[in-house]
């Protein structure tokens, strides 16, 4: 309700297929396998992991299911905005670059460039679209410089983006929600 008080948008949040232990008796969802040891090492040593050269991608059935899901949504809705947080943003950037028409924009939250070798050709053959991206300057999970790399990659291909960084971690704070709401208003 906060980001869409007029109820102009239909919100759908498909969960990643894999469970991830977040600690403190909490679990999250993931779109592709992550090395818990690599993640913990990155956080404890302060040496961020660069996902751009990593060719890891979600299993083909996951991507296929999401692409099918988007195609079905296109039949029901005149415009779609894809979005995602963390891994969800990585996946959204690839799906958005590959999904063609009827997509109005993308919201990429606390995410980074994944598998540049796969994303680059997708961006070459897709007409530029608007996007919104945010990242915490103290994100211990996905370093902001790799989020900026995704932003720069999209901008270099003519995509029309806006960027907001904030003094925080791997999260979506109020100031990002306010800017995301402004971004959505430009797409209506």
């Amino acid at each position: 309700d906060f980001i869409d008080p007029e109820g102009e948008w239909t919100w759908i949040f498909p969960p990643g297929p894999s469970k991830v232990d977040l600690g403190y008796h909490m679990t999250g969802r993931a779109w592709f396998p992550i090395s818990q040891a690599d993640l913990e090492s990155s956080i404890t040593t302060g040496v961020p992991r660069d996902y751009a050269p990593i060719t890891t991608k979600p299993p083909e059935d996951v991507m296929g299911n999401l692409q099918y899901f988007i195609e079905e949504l296109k039949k029901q809705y005149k415009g779609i905005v894809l979005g995602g947080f963390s891994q969800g943003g990585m996946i959204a950037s690839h799906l958005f670059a590959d999904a063609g028409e009827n997509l109005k924009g993308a919201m990429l939250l606390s995410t980074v460039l994944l598998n540049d070798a796969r994303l680059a050709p997708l961006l070459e053959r897709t007409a530029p679209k608007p996007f919104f991206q945010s990242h915490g300057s103290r994100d211990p999970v996905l370093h902001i410089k790799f989020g900026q790399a995704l932003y720069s990659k999209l901008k270099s291909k003519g995509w029309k983006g806006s960027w907001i960084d904030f003094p925080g971690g791997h999260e979506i704070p109020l100031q990002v929600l306010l800017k995301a709401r402004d971004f959505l208003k430009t797409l209506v």
Side-chain angles (χ1 to χ4, degrees), residues 33-44:
I34 56 173
S35 165
Q36 206 63 29
D38 286 349
L39 179 61
E40 289 171 10
S41 173
S42 178
I43 291 170
T44 57

Side-chain angles (χ1 to χ4, degrees), residues 131-134 151 155 160-164 179 183:
F131 72 100
F132 169 79
Q133 190 175 348
S134 69
Y151 180 79
K155 291 289 282 186
K160 299 159 188 70
S162 59
W163 170 272
I164 179 173
K179 293 290 186 181
F183 171 72

